Structure formats: structure tokens, C-alpha cells
Amino acid sequence: MKYIKLNEANFEYDIHSLVKAFYPREDIKVVVEEEKLEGNIPFLSIEYGQDEITIVVDDSSQNVKEASTKKEVPMGKEVSMGMKTFGEQESGIDNKNEKVISLEKELSRAEIKNCLKQGLYSLLSDITGKKLPWGTLTGIRPTKLAYQMLEEKTEPEILNHYKDVYLSSEEKAKLSIEIAKKEKEILSGIHYQDGYSLYIGIPFCPSTCLYCSFTSFPIVSWKKKVQEYLDCLIKEIEYTKEAFADKVLDSIYIGGGTPTTLEPEELDFLLSHVCTAFDMDSVKEFTVEAGRADSITREKLEVLKKYGVTRISVNPQTMKEETLHFIGRKATAAATIEAFHLAREVGFDNINMDLIMGLPGETKEDVMHTLEVVKELAPDSLTIHSLAIKRASALAQKIHQVGYDMLHNSEDIMEMCEYYARQMGMHPYYLYRQKNMSGNMENVGYALPGKEGIYNILIMEEVQTIIACGAGTVTKRVYGDGRIERCDNVKDVALYISKIEEMIDRKRQLFKD
């Protein structure tokens, strides 16, 4: 455990996330001065003063590269941070490393946070010898910055902003700008103020994958409750129909879980209500995650096609059999290939495939094999995920048993994925990050022109209201000034069923004015 001690509560999340990026194998705990350290010496101490921030790293008992015996930079050295200029002093004696950041009076809270993160990044980078591809950016939406700046800044200015303020690599900055430009183009016809999108969650799967932390339950345990769950979904859908009758529905996304875990007649029941409730002529995209091959049948695909579903996913994650077995995916690589061809036969011309980089034991050669198989299949879009090690997942416990070194992801692997995607005629169109991602990388969606997932962009850029129905879902109301408010549904399926009226009332309260 690495302890971080603060003299006051300030920027805890950002500090924790940045330190965790440098020390992914360690448990990190942030405590404020009044809290007990249980006799442990803090690895990192941050003291907020009126005019300065002092950061001290004591690595005397840590397994990190020893710092030089002494480093001194004259007080007042001017360092350009892209927003403001501030004085910096750095010194280190023995195993202690210290950085003092002098703050100007007129700095905003956001600028102070950036100064803190820049100083912390510099110190930890010197100690560990690491450079993070995204620099100090720890949030899940790094492209949102470029998306917002495109209105006011030139591309070179945005590029310099990423590099100077967030210490991002040039490659990641350029990727963010490319994606932001593509997002602007794709969303040009979206109804921002007078429209909305709809998410419907199906929290059931054939089984739970080792890495999964989503709201998902094995269908075998809930067979007798599925219809009751769908009846509650219909109540939320009916509320949405009435409350948003004067709004344009731009996109529908049915996810999970694995929606095709439902039986054909259950899918028919749900989709018939959806298509009856809304004006489907306005819907630009209707996505259903078919996901796992062990849930896909011709009859289910024909139901999806019958109700005008325009986009589906058939997700292998990997084409290596040993890995599939290890992570709990029941379907073989051959079954995934068969399901993909079946979807093409039924008539789907917009099929996405998800892959996960950094899965246990997988090498660069394994990834290349998977990409070769996918290239032969020629899907319409490809989502490259970097494995995120979720505390609630079974994988987190597995890593403690067999070791962190079983996970491998790198810039080389992500660049290889990009190379294959571009070879297939695809371009990157959306990106997001998660906590504890393997290799400190990102998730990137690639697509053929015209086959991009509109909902994926909307959920990332947060520019349109999204109504979410189902257990474990979160509704987001986006106001005209960019402000966002949320309300969530309970995750437990039984509790969701028993409290469905409360779930609907939460939405009423969110949209009451």
C-alpha cells in the first residue's frame, strides 16, 4: 500500500489517479491530515499553502529507482505551462524528492490543479523513469478537450495545449484532434437541444466474464424473472414516450449485459414495444449488442432485423482459445466467426467487433493472430479496448494469485491495432479511458466511413440528453449551458423490479423544469 497524505482535502481523485498510473501494481490510499496512517510513513505528502504547493516523495522504503543524492534548481525558474507561468524549486536529498510550486494569485482552481498535476508528474517521472502517453490526463474523456477547443483554437494551438498543459505525447494529442474533428462531422445532424437518445439495459449474460464489472447477472439464475423485468422496462419506456413526446429521438442503444441472452419471443416483446412507442423515422441509429456468440441464433437475428435494428456487435475479444477459456467466454473463436457470417446472411451491413488488449497471458503475436482473423472477416467497425482491471471483477483477485506480469499491453500493440484498422479502411472516431487500464492506454473505436456508432460519440462527448432505462443505468440531462445532471437506477434486478415506480419518479424529478 502506498499512502498519500494531504494537509487538506483537495484534488484527491486527480492525485490518486495520477499516482496509480505510475504505480499500477500498488494499492493507493489518499488520507487527509486528520486521518490515521496506522503507523505507516506516507510515500507522498502534499501540502497546500496560501501561495504554494509542496510535494514530497519519500521513497526510502519503496521499490523504485533511487533519486540522485541532490538536485537543485534556483528558486524562481520560469517554466511555461501553456496557461500561466509559475516559479518552481526542486531539490532532493538521499531518498527524498521535493518540489515546491509557487502559485500566482489570479490562478483559477482548474489552473492550480494543472500546476499540481504537472509538478507531481515531473517528480514521479524522474523517480520511476516513466513517461505516460497521456501525460497528466486521468479523466475518461481526453478527446472532449479537443472537441470543445475546435470552436476557438487552431489545430496547432490545440496540439500545443495537450503537450504543454497536460504533458501528453504528440501522438495522443494528434489522435484526440483527429477524433474530435470526426465527431463534429458525424454529429452535425444531431438535435442537441430538442432531441435525446435512449439507452435500454439488459443486465443478463450467459455467464460472467473474468474481467467484467458491469451490471450483469447469469441468465440461468433469472429465467423466471425476465418477463417481469421486461414489464418494468416497458413502464420506463412508456414514461419516456410521454415525457419526451415533443423531442426528437436520434438514437437507440440496447446494451447490457448481453441483450441477445433474451429468447426470440422476449426480444420480440421488447422491440415491438420500443417501435410502437417512438417515431422510428427520426432514429438515425438503432443498435443492439449481440455481443457473445453463445447467445446468437438465426431466429434472434431475424427478430432484430424485423424491427429495423441497424447496427449490432459480435464481439470475440480475442481469437485465442486458451484466453477465451481463461476469461470465462464459453463460445470458441470458431463460434464467433460462424455468428458473424450468420449476421451477414441475415442482412446486417453494420457489424462491430470488440477486442481487448492486455488480456492475461496474451503476447503481441497472439494479438496479431486475432487481428488477422478479424481482417479476413471485414467487420464495419472495430473497438479496441485496453483491459481495465476493475476492483469488483474476478480478474482483480486472479491477478493477486498469479501475478500482474501476466498482463501485457503497450504502445506497440495499440499502434499495431491502429495499423490493421486503417488497413481495413477504418478511421478512429471515438475514444475513452478507464481507471487502471493496462499500459495506461485507451479504448478507441474505428469504423468505415458512414458506419460510426453515433451513440458511442454522444455518451462520450456528453452533448445530448440520454434517457436510460433498466437496472444499473444512468440517465444524463444535458442543459443548454453544458451543465449535466444525473439520476441512476438501482443495480440489483430484484430491487429494480420492486422499486420501478421510484426509478421513474427519479426521472420525473430530474426533468421537472
Side-chain angles (χ1 to χ4, degrees):
M1 175 76 75
K2 286 190 185 304
Y3 287 90
I4 302 171
K5 184 179 179 182
L6 312 180
N7 70 318
E8 64 180 59
N10 227 337
F11 308 119
E12 296 98 316
Y13 174 83
D14 298 277
I15 293 166
H16 181 280
S17 298
L18 190 54
V19 175
K20 184 69 175 177
F22 278 99
Y23 300 97
R25 306 182 188 203
E26 301 277 359
D27 289 329
I28 309 294
K29 185 174 182 180
V30 180
V31 298
V32 182
E33 198 162 66
E34 293 77 16
E35 298 180 65
K36 292 182 179 179
L37 280 170
E38 302 171 355
N40 293 285
I41 299 173
F43 163 69
L44 172 67
S45 298
I46 297 177
E47 184 167 334
Y48 299 99
Q50 185 174 358
D51 302 313
E52 64 184 26
I53 301 173
T54 303
I55 308 172
V56 178
V57 173
D58 184 352
D59 61 342
S60 57
S61 62
Q62 308 295 330
N63 294 320
V64 294
K65 188 180 78 175
E66 287 192 6
S68 59
T69 55
K70 186 172 183 179
K71 275 193 301 186
E72 291 185 355
V73 178
M75 184 62 179
K77 176 186 174 185
E78 296 299 307
V79 181
S80 173
M81 306 312 279
M83 297 172 65
K84 293 285 183 181
T85 302
F86 60 90
E88 177 188 75
Q89 180 183 27
E90 180 177 65
S91 63
I93 300 176
D94 297 326
N95 293 98
K96 289 189 177 181
N97 296 265
E98 179 177 312
K99 186 177 288 289
V100 178
I101 302 169
S102 299
L103 303 173
E104 296 180 2
K105 297 284 187 182
E106 68 271 21
L107 289 180
S108 68
R109 178 176 171 81
E111 290 169 332
I112 291 172
K113 181 175 73 173
N114 283 333
C115 290
L116 166 64
K117 292 176 74 173
Q118 289 161 350
L120 181 56
Y121 179 96
S122 174
L123 204 54
L124 294 180
S125 183
D126 285 346
I127 292 170
T128 63
K130 290 182 182 179
K131 298 288 185 183
L132 303 179
W134 286 100
T136 66
L137 287 171
T138 54
I140 67 172
R141 297 176 173 86
T143 59
K144 191 173 183 178
L145 296 165
Y147 187 92
Q148 294 171 338
M149 287 189 286
L150 279 173
E151 298 294 331
E152 302 174 354
K153 296 181 181 291
T154 65
E155 289 185 35
E157 287 174 333
I158 298 172
L159 181 67
N160 288 334
H161 190 84
Y162 269 82
K163 292 165 63 178
D164 295 342
V165 177
Y166 304 111
L167 312 182
S168 170
S169 71
E170 184 161 341
E171 292 74 20
K172 298 305 180 189
K174 286 181 175 178
L175 179 62
S176 296
I177 295 169
E178 179 183 2
I179 288 173
K181 288 170 62 180
K182 177 57 66 175
E183 289 176 332
K184 288 278 188 184
E185 175 190 327
I186 295 167
L187 297 185
S188 60
I190 292 296
H191 302 83
Y192 292 99
Q193 301 305 318
D194 60 344
Y196 70 104
S197 288
L198 175 67
Y199 179 86
I200 299 171
I202 306 297
F204 308 117
C205 273
S207 62
T208 302
C209 295
L210 194 68
Y211 54 78
C212 185
S213 63
F214 291 112
T215 302
S216 177
F217 305 93
I219 188 66
V220 65
S221 303
W222 291 93
K223 275 289 186 184
K224 295 180 180 179
K225 288 283 188 179
V226 169
Q227 187 57 53
E228 196 173 352
Y229 178 80
L230 293 177
D231 290 339
C232 291
L233 269 183
I234 300 308
K235 289 182 180 181
E236 283 201 279
I237 289 168
E238 286 299 316
Y239 156 78
T240 305
K241 167 191 172 181
E242 295 168 8
F244 295 87
D246 61 337
K247 301 288 186 180
V248 178
L249 178 58
D250 278 318
S251 71
I252 302 172
Y253 193 104
I254 302 181
T258 306
T260 43
T261 305
L262 299 178
E263 295 299 329
E265 59 273 17
E266 293 166 340
L267 281 170
D268 194 289
F269 174 82
L270 174 61
L271 296 182
S272 66
H273 278 80
V274 170
C275 292
T276 301
F278 304 106
D279 176 12
M280 300 302 290
D281 290 338
S282 71
V283 175
K284 296 177 174 62
E285 174 185 275
F286 189 178
T287 297
V288 174
E289 285 188 5
R292 292 172 51 157
D294 51 352
S295 73
I296 297 173
T297 66
R298 179 180 291 274
E299 192 176 1
K300 292 178 185 181
L301 291 171
E302 287 175 345
V303 172
L304 302 185
K305 195 68 180 171
K306 170 185 172 183
Y307 288 103
V309 171
T310 58
R311 183 175 179 273
I312 66 170
S313 290
V314 179
N315 302 329
Q317 313 302 3
T318 178
M319 291 293 182
K320 184 178 179 181
E321 298 295 345
E322 295 89 341
T323 307
L324 289 169
H325 178 74
F326 182 85
I327 64 177
R329 303 278 287 193
K330 302 300 183 183
T332 63
T336 300
I337 294 169
E338 182 181 349
F340 182 90
H341 288 311
L342 184 59
R344 285 291 198 222
E345 288 177 20
V346 172
F348 286 97
D349 61 0
N350 194 348
I351 305 175
N352 174 73
M353 301 193 90
D354 281 6
L355 302 177
I356 299 178
M357 300 300 111
L359 286 170
E362 292 228 326
T363 64
K364 188 174 181 178
E365 290 69 31
D366 295 327
V367 174
M368 185 178 294
H369 166 70
T370 293
L371 290 168
E372 286 288 349
V373 175
V374 169
K375 183 180 178 181
E376 185 69 23
L377 291 171
D380 305 286
S381 61
L382 185 63
T383 307
I384 303 296
H385 296 270
S386 293
L387 179 67
I389 306 159
K390 300 293 187 178
R391 187 182 297 273
S393 70
L395 178 60
Q397 281 68 48
K398 195 75 174 178
I399 288 171
H400 282 294
Q401 297 172 13
V402 297
Y404 197 96
D405 289 334
M406 68 191 301
L407 307 178
H408 307 283
N409 196 16
S410 65
E411 288 193 69
D412 285 347
I413 288 177
M414 296 302 287
E415 287 171 4
M416 182 171 67
C417 292
E418 180 181 0
Y419 172 80
Y420 270 85
R422 292 189 189 272
Q423 284 288 302
M424 288 186 269
M426 299 179 185
H427 53 253
Y429 76 95
Y430 91 108
L431 180 152
Y432 70 101
R433 304 182 72 217
Q434 295 169 275
K435 286 184 180 179
N436 305 333
M437 297 190 81
S438 179
N440 196 241
M441 296 299 170
E442 64 281 330
N443 304 325
V444 185
Y446 298 90
L448 297 172
K451 303 295 185 179
E452 303 88 356
I454 295 172
Y455 178 86
N456 290 334
I457 302 173
L458 291 171
I459 196 70
M460 284 301 112
E461 297 307 329
E462 299 184 309
V463 291
Q464 187 189 57
T465 291
I466 294 176
I467 312 302
C469 305
T473 64
V474 179
T475 292
K476 292 194 291 188
R477 181 180 180 181
V478 180
Y479 290 82
D481 60 3
R483 181 166 49 97
I484 297 171
E485 291 185 4
R486 298 169 171 82
C487 71
D488 61 329
N489 284 350
V490 294
K491 293 183 178 181
D492 182 81
V493 173
L495 197 58
Y496 167 79
I497 292 171
S498 67
K499 291 182 174 289
I500 185 58
E501 296 303 329
E502 180 186 328
M503 301 303 99
I504 294 171
D505 191 57
R506 289 181 185 183
K507 291 181 175 61
R508 287 198 185 98
Q509 293 302 311
L510 180 62
F511 293 99
K512 66 182 178 181
D513 53 26

